Amino acid sequence: MSITDRAPQLLDVLDDAGRKILFTEARTANTFATTAVTDDELATIWELARWSPSAANGQPLRVLFVRTREGKERLIRHLDEGNRAKTLSAPAVAILAYDVDFHDQMPTVFPARGEMLRAAFADQTEKRESIAGYNSALQTGVFLLAVRAAGLAAGPMAGFDRAGVDEEFFAGTSWRSHLVVNIGHPGADPWFPRLPRVPVEDAIAWA
């Protein structure tokens, strides 16, 4: 039997309940209940998110989980004023960052070509920054789905001083912040009204 004669491998299809949790009924939370988010729940989020695709399996996304009041106070100094109360009320906060020195991990994450890739990127700081930024954004989408899959709500926010957050939390490292995500169970009146989606005819094309 040739390869072309073999039956195709059929993948499982996510059921309606799963689609609602991850997509059609998922919302960005703006208030949070006081219910704690445990370390095990945060570990579960990362265990799901770490399987995201990334170019050459480079995996530049890094996460700092902020759980203490002291940590949140340090963070909110660098947030836009309208985001501060939400972050203080969230049981947990994730600062998502990318590692501009992700290439140092290439021998681990891409054993067959890792040493070659690490050497190729060694002197290309600007290119690494671009690759890390793009691929961490890809991984971030999966991270938000992982929060939802863990039975929690996410409140992603880009309104903050990146340089300030980097100096506060990542000074002396190769991590660069790019998104803050509040995490918890929805609180009172957590959702803004559902906004429209781009019409299908304006969003997709066929060739």
Side-chain angles (χ1 to χ4, degrees):
M1 179 183 293
S2 68
I3 293 177
T4 56
D5 293 331
R6 296 175 183 171
Q9 179 181 359
L10 299 179
L11 301 177
D12 292 335
V13 176
L14 191 65
D15 63 17
D16 286 343
R19 294 182 188 192
K20 289 178 181 178
I21 290 169
L22 297 183
F23 299 103
T24 58
E25 293 188 4
R27 306 293 302 279
T28 293
N30 293 285
T31 67
F32 295 90
T34 58
T35 307
V37 173
T38 68
D39 288 358
D40 286 344
E41 287 176 308
L42 296 177
T44 295
I45 291 169
W46 180 248
E47 183 56 38
L48 294 172
R50 67 197 287 257
W51 301 104
S52 168
S54 56
N57 203 36
Q59 304 172 50
L61 183 67
R62 304 290 184 262
V63 183
L64 172 64
F65 286 117
V66 181
R67 300 164 300 163
T68 66
R69 179 77 182 195
E70 178 187 9
K72 293 176 191 176
E73 292 284 359
R74 291 171 59 197
L75 175 58
I76 65 169
R77 293 199 293 265
H78 307 288
L79 300 184
D80 290 355
E81 189 170 351
N83 290 332
R84 294 174 183 175
K86 290 186 287 188
T87 293
L88 281 177
S89 72
V93 185
I95 302 176
L96 303 189
Y98 56 85
D99 188 351
V100 294
D101 288 343
F102 70 91
H103 66 301
D104 286 336
Q105 293 285 343
M106 294 310 300
T108 298
V109 299
F110 201 151
R113 300 174 63 191
E115 292 295 348
M116 180 198 73
L117 289 166
R118 178 163 64 180
F121 283 125
D123 297 323
Q124 299 190 54
T125 305
E126 187 173 332
K127 186 173 183 178
R128 292 202 316 269
E129 179 94 23
S130 175
I131 290 172
Y134 179 85
N135 282 279
S136 66
L138 174 64
Q139 290 184 274
T140 291
V142 177
F143 181 92
L144 297 177
L145 293 178
V147 173
R148 296 169 176 177
L152 297 163
M157 305 181 305
F160 66 96
D161 176 8
R162 293 190 184 187
V165 168
D166 291 349
E167 180 63 27
E168 185 76 41
F169 293 97
F170 305 138
T173 78
S174 55
W175 293 20
R176 305 290 182 267
S177 59
H178 80 103
L179 195 69
V180 172
V181 183
N182 297 324
I183 300 172
H185 296 278
D189 192 22
W191 322 120
F192 292 149
R194 186 70 153 180
L195 295 173
R197 305 293 98 177
V198 174
V200 173
E201 60 271 19
D202 295 330
I204 65 172
W206 306 88

